[in-house]
Amino acid sequence: MRIALFIACYNDVLFPDTGKAVTAVLERLGHTVEFPMAQTCCGQMHYNTGYRREADSLVGAFNDAFRGYDAIVTPSGSCGGHVRHHHKTETAPNVYEFSEFLVDVLDVTDVGAYYPHRVTYHPTCHSLRLLRVGDKPLRLLRAVEGIELVELPEAESCCGFGGTFAMKNSETSVAMLQDKMDNVRKTGAPTLCASDNSCLMHIGGGLSRIKSGVRTLHLAEILAATR
Amino acid sequence: MSRDEVNVVWLGSPTFPKAAHDALQDDQLRRNLKHATTTIRDKRLRAVAELDDWETLRLAGSQIKDRVMRHLDTYLLQLEASVTAAGGVVHWAEDAREAKQIVSDLVRAMGATEVVKIKSMATQEIGLNEELDDDGIEATETDLAELIVQLNHDRPSHILVPAIHRNRSEIRDIFRREMGKHGVPAPDDLTDEPRALAEAARVHLREKFLRAKVAISGANFACADTGTVGVVESEGNGRMCLTLPETLITVMGIEKVLPSFSDLEVFLQLLPRSSTAERMNPYTSLWTGVTPGDGPQEFHLILLDNGRTKTLADTAGRSALHCIRCSACLNVCPVYERTGGRSYGSVYPGPIGAVLTPQLVGIGTSDHADSLPFASTLCGACYDACPVRIDIPEMLVHLRAKVVDAHRGGLPKPEALAMKGARMVFGSPRRLAWAERLGAIGGRVAGIGGGRWLPGPAKKWTGARDVPVPARESFRAWWRKAGRR
């Protein structure tokens, strides 16, 4: 199977470790992955903010970059959801969010990870309601050796990020963030995990500002950890 | 747009972010809202889980509404014929002004100076009470929550629970202060016990029910084939209005028509479970024209457009008209939960308000309406809760595009420039790699010395959140350096 990495532009710049972790897990499972250098951005930010013309002009380039692969794997549920739902191209149906790809396509839940820490998991809205990944990320986490998973209260409540919403309606966004952070701290877990760095950038930015001591980590980075 | 044409929006409403600012400062409001929405949310999930064919019902509801919208003209003409044949009178109102005029003329022709009202979104949408008041007619809301809002000269903040923003002790104070000015006063020793509050309202309203010659209602449904109109409610006050007065006037949005009586089977299951989390609402009243010697002897049905045919014309936006006003989307919306209904500046708050209001009043006509499609994180909880499967997130994005397009041309705003800039960078991988290197340097410079308080528009982020510092080496650069393919 020819697997392409769709890292998503903000991961490329801000969270390169996530891409490296995805690569490590897939290679550990015996697969060869490629990173099509021509990829830039799926256009979700433009699309969701109403700049549809600008968004549409990025679709063709995305399709060209990823043409010919059997599977296109992304660590961003949000970007993956956008491509699958809004790109009307031949590549769109082959896009998989990382946890979906592991569980549905590769049929694995135990990826040989070791992470002996207390972790709580936030299911991000687009993974949950756009891609319907269900409990796949949790099944992957439960199979991690040494992990202590604690349930996040009101887990399925949105964290308040919402792309440009975080700026346009920053006060409402921060009020939602506040409640999410309170719930995270209630768990006593030092690590908050999610399968989307965009939400984690928002929650993590808040947790760092209040010096909570809680770190945020993408699912792929936990799955990449070994003894 | 003048007040006469469309009343959906409250005059002078600020944009959503501005209105939300005040609501977010109100701790009592946030506590009231959180408590109320969490309770109803959990109850709804339990009520829905009882039916093993819930998803099929939702699909049926959605398909019936689809059909209604495709053939709205046919069904409305059929409804007019059925209602007329059953002894009712049908009036067509193009806008709020026309609808109000028709009601006012009918009431005055009866020589009445007071009317009792059943909770209705359509009459709120056109600002009927204010119009009647101007014409010397006192309209009394008989739904408990609407009465609370009316007595307090307040705005409703929820479709189903208009006084959701008030708690019991606030309601006691309102009753004690206001009831005496409009009829039977509240007892001096009124407590904030729900039973005592309900009893005070019952005594206050009973006198009005027995005296009023005219009642005004909305409609939840109207069946084209039989001419049957229906109202569902919880308190029984509606049934008093529907049976005691001599004349009944119903103001109904044209989208409420259903093809046939048998379609009620679907909606009478979907609505109560979604709205009050009940298997069935306590009172379902159906009437077909007039029946000699039984109930009102005169029945007028006013079919209200007020922006609906304009909404219908947009095939990507029209499913906002499928809404059955259950308010499930409000109760699950994290934005509504924090900001309350009045931040939406319209009689239709929450997610459905954010897609319906701008369409009824027209995109590009006001900063207020244009701000509403952006009042969402697109989390999608509303879509999952909607009993007729209105894809609210998708429609929000559709309307955002219409807002952006309405403002293209002229001097671009900073946001438009940023979007164009980003589009240019993403236009080629080489430009992106170049921007990444520049960003890594700039970002690290800005990050030196804990400099995480950025100026300008970025302050809206850094006011409460640290920014991630761009990595020294992007993923792309790492990949290339590692000589991978």
Side-chain angles (χ1 to χ4, degrees):
Chain A
M1 186 161 38
R2 279 190 80 204
I3 305 172
L5 298 173
F6 161 36
I7 292 303
C9 53
Y10 69 99
N11 282 325
D12 184 12
V13 186
L14 298 172
F15 306 100
D17 288 347
T18 298
K20 293 177 198 171
V22 170
T23 309
V25 172
L26 293 175
E27 289 184 345
R28 196 162 76 217
L29 294 171
H31 299 277
T32 308
V33 292
E34 296 177 37
F35 177 78
M37 278 287 172
Q39 66 181 283
T40 60
C41 170
C42 66
Q44 184 192 201
M45 178 182 73
H46 288 97
Y47 186 90
N48 282 356
T49 313
Y51 292 81
R52 199 166 274 192
R53 211 183 285 168
E54 288 79 358
D56 287 348
S57 68
L58 293 165
V59 173
F62 184 96
N63 194 45
D64 289 345
F66 288 100
R67 185 175 287 128
Y69 290 96
D70 302 311
I72 301 150
V73 180
T74 179
S76 168
S78 192
C79 303
H82 173 73
V83 175
R84 261 218 323 248
H85 279 83
H86 301 119
H87 283 203
K88 310 274 184 255
T89 58
E90 63 185 271
T91 56
N94 295 336
V95 171
Y96 297 91
E97 185 271 332
F98 183 55
S99 73
E100 262 185 336
F101 183 70
L102 293 176
V103 176
D104 289 350
V105 182
L106 300 185
D107 197 23
V108 288
T109 45
D110 185 347
V111 297
Y114 174 70
Y115 193 78
H117 303 284
R118 182 177 245 229
V119 173
T120 192
Y121 175 76
H122 165 63
T124 58
C125 299
H126 287 175
S127 296
L128 198 66
R129 302 196 190 90
L130 199 56
L131 285 177
R132 311 273 174 197
V133 299
D135 68 345
K136 284 161 207 164
L138 281 169
R139 280 157 65 191
L140 289 160
L141 283 172
R142 282 190 208 111
V144 171
E145 192 189 342
I147 200 166
E148 186 194 344
L149 259 184
V150 281
E151 198 180 327
L152 178 65
E154 299 174 52
E156 296 188 0
S157 289
C158 176
C159 70
F161 174 60
T164 46
F165 175 86
M167 309 273 275
K168 280 177 181 284
N169 285 283
S170 58
E171 288 179 87
T172 309
S173 169
V174 169
M176 291 162 71
L177 168 65
Q178 193 63 55
D179 292 343
K180 184 57 73 178
M181 292 197 298
D182 288 348
N183 282 322
V184 170
R185 297 176 87 187
K186 269 185 216 159
T187 66
T191 305
L192 171 69
C193 171
S195 46
D196 223 315
N197 277 327
S198 52
C199 311
L200 285 180
M201 176 171 72
H202 166 74
I203 308 173
L207 289 168
S208 152
R209 176 59 56 85
I210 61 167
K211 300 190 169 36
S212 67
V214 180
R215 71 186 300 214
T216 50
L217 215 48
H218 191 282
L219 172 72
E221 294 177 63
I222 290 181
L223 298 185
T226 50
R227 265 181 202 277
Chain B
M1 189 164 294
S2 79
R3 179 185 167 179
D4 281 347
E5 283 174 61
V6 171
N7 283 59
V8 187
V9 172
W10 301 330
L11 279 182
S13 291
T15 60
F16 186 84
K18 279 211 184 89
H21 170 82
D22 295 337
L24 288 164
Q25 311 304 312
D26 187 342
D27 290 342
Q28 180 69 53
L29 171 72
R30 274 178 73 184
R31 272 197 302 276
N32 293 353
L33 278 172
K34 167 103 183 167
H35 175 72
T37 54
T38 312
T39 309
I40 186 89
R41 217 152 48 202
D42 295 343
K43 273 178 70 184
R44 188 192 71 90
L45 283 175
R46 284 199 298 274
V48 162
E50 286 181 351
L51 291 184
D52 52 15
D53 62 347
W54 182 251
E55 289 307 318
T56 317
L57 274 170
R58 282 179 82 207
L59 201 57
S62 153
Q63 287 171 347
I64 293 169
K65 285 290 186 180
D66 250 346
R67 182 147 51 90
V68 169
M69 297 311 150
R70 271 185 278 119
H71 308 289
L72 191 58
D73 51 348
T74 308
Y75 292 127
L76 285 172
L77 290 173
Q78 197 188 350
L79 176 69
E80 181 183 34
S82 308
V83 169
T84 310
V89 182
V90 174
H91 310 256
W92 299 79
E94 191 181 339
D95 55 23
R97 187 186 52 77
E98 263 187 31
K100 287 188 291 192
Q101 192 66 52
I102 296 166
V103 177
S104 186
D105 289 350
L106 288 170
V107 177
R108 279 188 298 189
M110 288 285 297
T113 54
E114 59 180 342
V115 298
V116 283
K117 282 191 68 204
I118 306 178
K119 176 179 169 20
S120 130
M121 296 305 295
T123 60
Q124 262 177 34
E125 177 188 319
I126 61 175
L128 181 64
N129 292 6
E130 294 79 3
E131 167 78 13
L132 291 176
D133 193 47
D134 287 350
D135 292 350
I137 300 159
E138 188 180 28
T140 302
E141 294 290 349
T142 66
D143 171 83
L144 180 55
E146 288 289 356
L147 179 68
I148 294 164
V149 170
Q150 186 182 34
L151 286 173
N152 199 38
H153 312 285
D154 201 352
R155 295 278 192 197
S157 67
H158 190 281
I159 289 176
L160 194 80
V161 202
I164 198 169
H165 55 295
R166 298 280 170 222
N167 62 26
R168 295 187 321 196
S169 63
E170 290 175 304
I171 293 165
R172 178 201 54 205
D173 296 345
I174 294 167
F175 279 8
R176 288 221 295 230
R177 196 180 66 231
E178 297 289 334
M179 271 184 173
K181 297 179 193 168
H182 302 278
V184 181
D188 289 336
D189 59 350
L190 180 66
T191 67
D192 65 1
E193 284 303 306
R195 182 187 288 269
L197 295 172
E199 182 60 19
R202 186 200 303 271
V203 173
H204 180 81
L205 290 172
R206 181 62 51 125
E207 182 200 34
K208 294 178 185 291
F209 286 135
L210 293 174
R211 200 171 54 215
K213 291 197 161 32
V214 181
I216 298 175
S217 84
N220 288 100
F221 317 102
C223 310
D225 59 347
T226 58
T228 306
V229 183
V231 159
V232 297
E233 44 135 0
S234 296
E235 297 168 14
N237 59 304
R239 184 156 292 177
M240 300 286 273
C241 296
L242 294 166
T243 50
L244 287 173
E246 295 163 20
T247 298
L248 172 62
I249 303 171
T250 299
V251 182
M252 177 190 121
I254 51 173
E255 80 282 16
K256 296 277 178 173
V257 66
L258 294 176
S260 75
F261 190 83
S262 58
D263 294 323
L264 287 175
E265 181 214 337
V266 173
F267 293 98
L268 290 177
Q269 293 187 73
L270 287 173
L271 181 55
R273 284 180 200 262
S274 305
S275 56
T276 49
E278 290 167 303
R279 292 173 182 143
M280 180 141 197
N281 46 281
Y283 299 89
T284 300
S285 303
L286 302 174
W287 66 96
T288 309
V290 293
T291 309
D294 184 15
Q297 295 301 295
E298 229 184 273
F299 168 54
H300 295 271
L301 178 64
I302 299 167
L303 297 173
L304 174 73
D305 185 326
N306 211 33
R308 285 163 174 77
T309 47
K310 258 189 338 198
T311 306
L312 191 72
D314 179 356
T315 49
R318 69 161 57 148
S319 63
L321 296 175
H322 293 193
C323 175
I324 57 172
R325 312 281 188 259
C326 72
S327 68
C329 63
L330 277 64
N331 299 328
V332 299
C333 177
V335 173
Y336 176 88
E337 186 186 318
R338 270 72 178 195
T339 60
R342 289 184 296 184
S343 299
Y344 294 81
S346 157
V347 298
Y348 300 112
I352 188 65
V355 291
L356 187 59
T357 306
Q359 298 198 86
L360 290 180
V361 305
I363 296 277
T365 58
S366 73
D367 288 346
H368 160 71
D370 287 358
S371 74
L372 291 175
F374 297 91
S376 166
T377 62
L378 307 178
C379 83
C382 50
Y383 176 42
D384 283 5
C386 179
V388 289
R389 294 169 52 107
I390 301 174
D391 193 344
I392 296 177
E394 198 55 51
M395 207 186 311
L396 284 164
V397 171
H398 168 71
L399 296 176
R400 288 176 184 188
K402 290 183 94 168
V403 172
V404 167
D405 287 344
H407 295 281
R408 283 188 199 265
L411 275 180
K413 290 186 177 158
E415 178 192 281
L417 286 174
M419 288 290 165
K420 279 189 202 313
R423 164 66 190 85
M424 200 197 78
V425 169
F426 293 137
S428 91
R430 272 183 53 199
R431 279 204 289 272
L432 177 59
W434 172 78
E436 281 173 2
R437 279 197 296 278
L438 206 70
I441 298 163
R444 300 201 82 80
V445 170
I448 286 169
R452 298 200 165 177
W453 303 85
L454 300 178
K459 227 183 341 195
K460 292 202 161 167
W461 179 275
T462 59
R465 294 155 286 205
D466 287 341
V467 276
V469 175
R472 249 174 238 288
E473 184 183 55
S474 68
F475 181 82
R476 181 183 304 270
W478 171 78
W479 188 274
R480 184 175 284 142
K481 212 172 68 187
R484 290 164 167 272
R485 59 174 300 237

